C-alpha cells in the first residue's frame, strides 16, 4: 500500500493514468507482468484495465440514476466472468457494510457510502491493483479514516496492491511507503 504525493501539476494523476492503462507514456517503456503495455491497441488495454485494475476516484464516479447494485456490477459487464453476478455483488457490498443499501439509488447515498460503493465496484473483478485518486479528498476526517481502514483491511486480507494519490500527510503516513513526485519525476 503506497501513497503517491506531490504538488498539484507534478504528474501524480498522469502516473496513475499510465499505470492503469488509461494513458500511454510519451517516452519510455511500461511493462505489466513482463508484457510491454505501451504499444497495445485500445481494446487490449481495456481488457487489461478490467482484469488487473480497480479504480477509486475522488468524485466516486457513480451513475446517479443507477442503484448501488447496478453501479457495482458495471465492471462485470465488461468481463468474461459474468457467473453469479448478483451474488458476487451482494457479497462485496456485505463485506463493505453496504448490503442494506443495495437497492438505493446513488444520489441518495452519503459521501462515505458512495466511496464504499466505489470501492466495491473497484474490487468486484478481483483486480491485482487498486488505484485510488484522492479517495478521501471529498470526505470528512472520520469518514476518510473509515475508507483508509477499509483499504488497509483489503491490503492485508486480500494481499492487494493499493496505490493512493493524496495530498494528505495523514493518509500517506498510514501507507507502507511514499512515492514523491516533483515536476514529473519520482524523487
Amino acid at each position: 500500500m503506497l501513497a503517491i504525493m506531490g504538488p498539484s501539476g507534478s504528474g501524480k494523476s498522469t502516473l496513475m493514468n499510465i499505470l492503469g492503462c488509461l494513458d500511454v507514456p510519451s517516452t519510455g517503456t511500461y511493462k505489466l507482468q513482463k508484457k510491454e503495455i505501451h504499444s497495445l491497441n485500445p481494446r487490449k488495454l481495456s481488457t487489461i484495465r478490467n482484469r488487473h485494475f480497480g479504480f477509486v476516484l475522488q468524485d466516486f464516479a457513480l451513475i446517479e440514476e443507477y442503484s448501488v447494485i447496478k453501479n457495482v456490477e458495471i465492471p462485470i459487464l465488461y468481463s468474461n466472468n459474468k457467473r453469479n453476478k448478483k451474488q458476487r455483488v451482494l457479497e462485496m457490498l456485505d463485506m463493505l457494510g453496504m448490503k442494506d443499501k443495495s437497492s438505493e439509488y446513488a444520489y441518495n447515498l452519503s459521501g462515505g457510502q458512495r466511496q464504499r460503493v466505489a470501492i466495491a465496484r473497484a474490487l468486484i473483478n478481483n483486480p491485482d491493483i487498486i488505484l485510488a485518486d484522492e479517495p478521501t479528498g471529498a470526505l470528512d476526517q472520520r469518514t476518510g479514516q473509515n475508507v483508509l481502514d477499509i483499504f488497509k483491511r483489503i491490503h492485508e486480507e486480500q494481499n492487494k496492491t493499493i496505490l493512493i494519490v493524496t495530498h494528505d500527510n495523514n493518509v500517506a503516513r498510514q501507507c507502507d511507503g511514499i512515492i514523491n513526485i516533483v515536476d514529473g519525476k519520482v524523487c
Side-chain angles (χ1 to χ4, degrees), residues 88-99:
R88 287 169 43 209
V89 170
L90 290 174
E91 286 172 2
M92 187 63 62
L93 290 171
D94 191 37
M95 180 186 95
L96 293 166
M98 290 295 295
K99 190 173 182 180

Side-chain angles (χ1 to χ4, degrees), residues 1-122:
M1 189 162 139
L2 296 172
I4 300 174
M5 296 190 77
S8 295
S10 64
K12 299 179 304 294
S13 293
T14 299
L15 175 61
M16 186 80 73
N17 288 342
I18 290 170
L19 292 174
C21 300
L22 292 167
D23 227 341
V24 294
S26 52
T27 61
T29 303
Y30 172 30
K31 290 183 180 183
L32 178 67
Q33 296 182 334
K34 300 181 183 178
K35 294 179 188 168
E36 287 197 15
I37 300 299
H38 61 281
S39 61
L40 296 177
N41 68 44
R43 181 182 283 274
K44 288 188 180 185
L45 288 173
S46 177
T47 299
I48 288 169
R49 267 192 310 275
N50 191 266
R51 186 173 296 143
H52 295 286
F53 295 98
F55 296 89
V56 180
L57 306 173
Q58 179 177 359
D59 68 356
F60 320 119
L62 300 179
I63 298 175
E64 296 292 316
E65 300 79 26
Y66 280 15
S67 68
V68 166
I69 286 178
K70 273 188 100 165
N71 269 287
V72 174
E73 73 183 13
I74 290 170
I76 295 173
L77 302 175
Y78 297 96
S79 76
N80 291 329
N81 184 8
K82 293 177 179 59
R83 283 185 296 177
N84 304 320
K85 176 175 65 172
K86 187 169 183 173
Q87 178 186 344
R88 287 169 43 209
V89 170
L90 290 174
E91 286 172 2
M92 187 63 62
L93 290 171
D94 191 37
M95 180 186 95
L96 293 166
M98 290 295 295
K99 190 173 182 180
D100 63 325
K101 300 285 186 185
S102 62
S103 300
E104 286 286 334
Y105 287 96
Y107 59 77
N108 286 329
L109 302 176
S110 70
Q113 290 170 332
R114 287 169 179 247
Q115 196 61 294
R116 284 186 280 160
V117 171
I119 293 168
R121 184 187 54 209

